[in-house]
């Protein structure tokens, strides 16, 4: 087992062409505390302007969330998050996942509808609807003799190989079909395509939102604010192994460089900030993240 301690800082800002008012937002930004995975030691979130109303709640997937409202006109919104997190990594010693044909029996054997039950992650979800082209794309990796983990790993590698990371190619509303046709996108697109592909094979899969520590090239200094929020995939590999997290953007298992903020069926369940406001004209968003290992 490997442990890494991090200090995180996040700045999300929105600058409006004309002052906004009557704004109501929900935030999911604070890293989770997860048994045998990571521990939130301390954390705080500051919103500017100071909200007129603010409330905290826990959603269905057991994520702490904060809703807030701003009544007065404001030209910009700034959200500042700070946290200290300890992350642990446990490697998979052996593949005890079933072959694909045996997986339905193991899913049926789960008599639970808790937030992490595989039943929630098999069908359509708000942003992921059954798509023939994605199903066909997945079948290449579904050898009858392969285990669920082998299929998931093969899909992770295939998406990493076939797709080009391009921050300009897609938007937050791009569908998996559009991303597949482009063979380009960002981590959200890579994750959505992989999740939908796995579900088309009958493999429960979900979306993970979080932070990823990036390491500068040799000889280069680390740039402040150069890290970013990230997305990857969790796959249910049967009763023995349970959930496994894979990162198709980088073709690696999630490890101590991956810090979890939220789990969901797709991006709609875990969006860092969502909301409505009264305004007209456009807006500009800025984001800066620092993921700093300690010691």
């Amino acid at each position: 087992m490997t442990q890494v301690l991090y200090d995180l800082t996040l700045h999300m800002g929105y600058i409006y062409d004309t002052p906004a008012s009557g704004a109501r937002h929900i935030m999911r930004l604070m890293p989770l505390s997860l048994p045998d995975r990571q521990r939130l030691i301390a954390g705080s979130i500051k919103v500017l302007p100071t909200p007129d109303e603010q409330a905290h709640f826990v959603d269905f997937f057991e994520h702490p969330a904060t809703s807030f409202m701003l009544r007065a006109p404001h030209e910009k919104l700034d959200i500042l998050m700070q946290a200290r997190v300890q992350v642990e990594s446990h490697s998979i010693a052996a593949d005890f996942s079933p072959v694909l044909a045996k997986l339905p029996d193991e899913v049926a054997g789960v008599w639970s509808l808790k937030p992490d039950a595989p039943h929630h992650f098999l069908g359509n979800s708000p942003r992921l609807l059954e798509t023939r082209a994605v199903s066909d794309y997945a079948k290449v990796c579904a050898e009858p003799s392969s285990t669920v983990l082998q299929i998931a790993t093969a899909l992770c590698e295939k998406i990493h190989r076939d797709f080009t990371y391009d921050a300009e190619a897609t938007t937050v509303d791009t569908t998996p079909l559009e991303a597949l046709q482009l063979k380009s996108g960002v981590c959200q697109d890579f994750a959505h395509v992989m999740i939908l592909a796995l579900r088309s094979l009958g493999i429960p899969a979900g979306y993970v939102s979080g932070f990823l520590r990036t390491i500068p090239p040799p000889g280069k200094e680390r740039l402040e604010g150069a890290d970013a929020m990230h997305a990857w995939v969790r796959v249910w590999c049967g009763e023995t192994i349970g959930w496994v997290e894979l990162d198709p953007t980088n073709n690696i298992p999630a490890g101590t460089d991956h810090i979890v903020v939220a789990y969901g069926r797709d991006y709609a369940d875990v969006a860092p900030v969502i909301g409505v406001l009264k305004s007209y004209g456009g807006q500009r968003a800025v984001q800066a993240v620092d993921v700093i290992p300690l010691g």
Side-chain angles (χ1 to χ4, degrees):
M1 181 182 71
T2 304
Q3 294 182 342
V4 181
L5 188 65
Y6 291 103
D7 272 351
L8 308 178
T9 61
L10 164 71
H11 170 226
M12 296 186 77
Y14 300 89
I15 303 168
Y16 307 113
D17 289 346
T18 58
S21 62
R24 185 177 291 275
H25 301 279
I26 296 176
M27 302 181 293
R28 293 178 179 85
L29 291 169
M30 189 61 66
L32 297 174
S33 282
L34 302 164
D36 301 320
R37 176 69 168 83
Q38 70 181 37
R39 181 167 66 95
L40 176 64
I41 297 170
S44 65
I45 297 178
K46 184 176 183 179
V47 178
L48 298 171
T50 302
D52 297 291
E53 295 180 14
Q54 187 164 303
H56 305 284
F57 65 95
V58 176
D59 66 18
F60 173 79
F61 292 105
E62 298 183 339
H63 304 131
T66 300
S67 66
F68 65 91
M69 182 175 183
L70 298 167
R71 294 192 179 90
H74 51 284
E75 296 180 347
K76 64 178 183 176
L77 170 67
D78 288 295
I79 300 171
L80 308 169
M81 187 277 291
Q82 293 181 306
R84 176 165 290 184
V85 184
Q86 180 176 286
V87 182
E88 299 178 3
S89 177
H90 301 265
S91 60
I92 300 173
D95 181 2
F96 293 108
S97 63
V99 295
L100 188 58
K102 300 281 189 181
L103 185 63
D105 291 338
E106 296 208 12
V107 173
V110 178
W111 286 64
S112 169
L113 290 177
K114 291 182 178 180
D116 65 345
H119 308 289
H120 301 303
F121 302 90
L122 274 170
N124 291 337
S125 54
R127 286 176 176 251
L128 299 181
L129 304 178
E130 185 177 353
T131 305
R132 177 66 180 272
V134 177
S135 301
D136 291 342
Y137 182 77
K139 289 176 182 176
V140 178
C141 298
E143 295 290 338
S145 60
S146 296
T147 66
V148 172
L149 182 57
Q150 287 173 334
I151 293 170
T153 303
L155 259 173
C156 183
E157 180 180 354
K158 180 174 173 60
I159 292 169
H160 176 77
R161 182 179 65 248
D162 293 348
F163 283 60
T164 300
Y165 189 94
D166 184 351
E168 304 298 323
T170 57
T171 71
V172 70
D173 295 318
T174 297
T175 67
L177 177 59
E178 291 168 337
L180 180 62
Q181 291 169 337
L182 290 169
K183 293 293 197 301
S184 296
V186 294
C187 56
Q188 174 182 308
D189 304 299
F190 287 46
H192 274 168
V193 171
M194 182 170 169
I195 293 165
L196 191 56
L198 288 166
R199 290 181 189 171
S200 74
L201 300 173
I203 300 173
Y207 191 99
V208 191
S209 170
F211 298 99
L212 174 67
R213 177 176 66 145
T214 56
I215 300 173
K220 299 291 185 180
E221 291 187 5
R222 182 186 170 280
L223 301 177
E224 290 188 8
D227 299 316
M229 292 204 74
H230 192 48
W232 59 98
V233 178
R234 67 194 307 229
V235 188
W236 196 75
C237 295
E239 293 180 279
T240 302
I241 297 181
W243 290 102
V244 173
E245 297 176 20
L246 300 173
D247 181 349
T249 305
N250 298 290
N251 190 30
I252 55 174
T256 52
D257 289 338
H258 295 74
I259 303 162
V260 178
V261 170
Y263 292 119
R265 296 165 297 173
D266 58 38
Y267 177 79
D269 289 334
V270 302
V273 180
I274 57 172
V276 295
L277 50 82
K278 296 177 183 178
S279 184
Y280 62 90
Q283 68 178 33
R284 181 166 59 91
V286 294
Q287 182 182 143
V289 176
D290 280 320
V291 180
I292 303 171
L294 304 178

